[in-house]
Amino acid sequence: MSKLSPDAAVAAQYEALPYPHRDPREERKRLIVGSPSHLQEIEQTVFGGRWPTRPVRVLIAGGGSGDALTMLAQQLAWAGRKAELLYLDPSQAARAVAEARIAARGLDTSDIVTVRFATGSLLDLLDAGHEPFDYIDSCGVLHHLDDPDAGLRALVSVLAPQGGIGLMLYGAYGRRGVYDVQAILRTLAAEGSPKERVAQAKRVLTQLPATNWLLRNGVIRDHLDGGDAGLFDLLLHARDRAYTIPDWFALVHGAGLRLADWVEPARYKLSTYFTDAALLKRAESLPPEEEAALAEQVAGNLARHAGYLVRAENPVAPPPPGDRAAIPAFKDIDPQRLLAAIDRGGRLGVSNEGLDLTLPLPTIAPALLPRIDGQKTWQALLEEMKALRKDLSDDTLSRAAEQIARQLGGIGRLTQRYSPLSE
């Protein structure tokens, strides 16, 4: 049997095993959320905290089985924000799953969001005659292309001037062991259909010694939790590369873009990992990109890099942490869980992919956090606190809001937005 070209092999993979594996019937029970392309993150980072008053145009480029599409369409519908979403993917099988998920939620007949589906390559976007998109999702796609730079340029070609891109690419250091096993399987699990190759790979995995780097890497679990589709995508993919931070920024800058912010900014700050004052003083003098590169090496568990990009000339920025005019909102976490994780010293314990962190919070955090409801501004919240505690100065309250916003925002658990402008 002749060997397939990488393009043909990738196409065959996703027809046989749409990724990630999803059952549309499960939409009745839960909404899968993640990053990038979470509504709160887009509003905060791409649009500077204020969602456009007009309907927005969204492109899900390489939508797979529909995680980003379903999440964002549902969040937009719940928020009552009119939008048109275009799903684009080369796989007919993946598209069928995504369409079924949208239908299962009734989003195919929504009067808030319009969802359209197209089968094809993002590389053909420039010639497809699309109107510019306000937001583009590119999650786990470019690193599977023969020319990722061309792929990102194609996305930029249909990006509105004030729009943004949610980008996720694999991280080199956090995927330690993956490429060793991929090399093994190119010899020992190279023949047969996708399902036959998965069966061969499973036999190899059961024989790996405990010293193997994939087994020692607790961050990587798709081969364990993602079913056959997850195992194939991780270990048998025909084209797969990972990015260091310098690689990531070279790609971004080469497309005329800049980073508006990471999904979890704290993971790219040395202060997250170091407490030594002399080291932190040195870190303060580093350019952000250089600090991020060092943080990736220090942490060792960044298996993916997810952030929001805008055009280099676009000056948009997220609301400053604790800005009194901003409205804070928790993201995908019960505030009671946060409170339960705060120790008697006012420190928040966080576990993130095998890394245990302790984040200091202000002493008023246990009283302030339950008042955050996604509707009140920091100003209103701090006025409530001052009414309860006459001893609190304005400076103390402002510092508390900034610290909470920076710490919880840094781990992706709190976002900020502004009230919409009147039309």
Side-chain angles (χ1 to χ4, degrees):
M1 181 173 63
S2 61
K3 185 177 180 181
L4 295 175
S5 70
D7 284 342
V10 171
Q13 170 191 339
Y14 290 126
E15 291 299 336
L17 296 168
Y19 179 81
H21 174 71
R22 297 291 183 241
D23 183 346
R25 294 171 295 184
E26 294 294 312
E27 296 306 319
R28 303 188 189 101
K29 303 177 183 179
R30 53 88 182 101
L31 176 67
I32 294 175
V33 296
S35 299
S37 298
H38 193 290
L39 178 63
Q40 289 177 233
E41 295 171 356
I42 299 170
E43 180 173 39
Q44 171 181 264
T45 310
V46 173
F47 298 125
R50 188 168 279 124
W51 195 267
T53 55
R54 55 175 173 75
V56 301
R57 286 174 48 78
V58 174
L59 171 65
I60 308 295
S65 54
D67 277 6
L69 173 75
T70 306
M71 172 184 69
L72 185 53
Q74 184 63 81
Q75 290 174 339
L76 286 163
W78 281 338
R81 291 173 173 172
K82 289 187 176 294
E84 178 182 305
L85 295 89
L86 174 62
Y87 163 103
L88 177 66
D89 197 277
S91 170
Q92 293 279 7
R95 171 177 169 171
V97 176
E99 286 184 298
R101 294 175 70 184
I102 290 295
R105 290 183 166 273
L107 293 168
D108 55 334
T109 58
S110 169
D111 58 358
I112 301 296
V113 297
T114 300
V115 182
R116 297 188 295 113
F117 292 87
T119 301
S121 170
L122 63 85
L123 296 173
D124 298 327
L125 283 167
L126 183 59
D127 300 324
H130 293 292
E131 293 294 320
F133 293 94
D134 301 293
Y135 177 71
I136 298 173
D137 171 89
S138 177
C139 183
V141 175
L142 298 184
H143 49 229
H144 292 317
L145 298 181
D146 179 53
D147 187 347
D149 295 87
L152 188 54
R153 289 194 300 270
L155 297 182
V156 174
S157 75
V158 293
L159 179 66
Q162 302 304 310
I165 298 173
L167 178 67
M168 188 281 279
L169 297 173
Y170 292 149
Y173 293 102
R175 283 169 68 83
R176 187 165 190 178
V178 169
Y179 300 102
D180 301 334
V181 174
Q182 283 186 7
I184 295 167
L185 296 182
R186 279 195 292 273
T187 299
L188 300 181
E191 301 295 331
S193 68
K195 290 187 179 296
E196 290 170 337
R197 294 183 65 199
V198 166
Q200 296 164 17
K202 288 178 179 178
R203 295 178 64 182
V204 172
L205 291 175
T206 63
Q207 299 295 298
L208 294 178
T211 51
N212 180 270
W213 278 112
L214 179 65
L215 299 189
R216 298 175 68 180
N217 186 343
V219 175
I220 302 297
R221 297 196 55 84
D222 221 11
H223 60 305
L224 303 174
D225 304 333
D228 289 357
L231 186 151
F232 199 107
D233 200 72
L234 179 72
L235 299 176
L236 294 168
H237 207 290
R239 186 187 289 126
D240 169 359
R241 64 163 294 180
Y243 285 73
T244 64
I245 287 296
D247 294 335
W248 200 89
F249 277 111
L251 177 75
V252 169
H253 295 324
L257 300 170
R258 68 173 181 86
L259 175 70
D261 209 355
W262 298 107
V263 166
E264 296 179 83
R267 303 187 77 175
Y268 298 90
K269 302 291 290 182
L270 290 174
S271 58
T272 300
Y273 313 104
F274 293 161
T275 57
D276 184 282
L279 292 176
L280 291 178
K281 185 176 181 180
R282 173 73 180 97
E284 289 175 359
S285 66
L286 296 174
E289 293 182 16
E290 186 175 337
E291 181 180 10
L294 288 176
E296 178 189 23
Q297 293 173 308
V298 169
N301 71 337
L302 287 164
R304 63 198 65 82
H305 300 305
Y308 291 94
L309 313 176
V310 296
R311 293 182 183 275
E313 64 272 18
N314 183 351
V316 70
D323 183 346
R324 288 193 174 225
I327 300 169
F330 292 114
K331 183 175 80 69
D332 302 331
I333 192 168
D334 181 348
Q336 294 304 316
R337 284 186 58 195
L338 279 177
L339 291 173
I342 299 176
D343 65 20
R344 292 183 179 181
R347 297 177 296 269
L348 174 66
V350 177
S351 182
N352 196 333
E353 296 182 330
L355 177 67
D356 294 326
L357 300 175
T358 302
L359 307 178
L361 293 176
T363 57
I364 65 170
L368 180 54
L369 290 176
R371 298 175 182 276
I372 295 175
D373 60 2
Q375 302 300 319
K376 299 173 186 173
T377 63
W378 280 116
Q379 178 67 32
L381 292 165
L382 298 183
E383 286 176 356
E384 288 182 8
M385 290 301 301
K386 193 165 187 179
L388 290 173
R389 293 273 306 272
K390 305 293 186 183
D391 59 312
L392 295 174
S393 68
D394 285 343
D395 284 347
T396 297
L397 290 167
S398 292
R399 286 195 300 271
E402 179 182 356
Q403 186 177 9
I404 289 172
R406 192 178 301 280
Q407 296 285 45
L408 298 186
I411 58 172
R413 291 305 184 186
L414 185 137
T415 59
Q416 298 182 127
R417 66 178 178 89
Y418 293 115
S419 296
L421 293 172
S422 57
E423 297 191 45

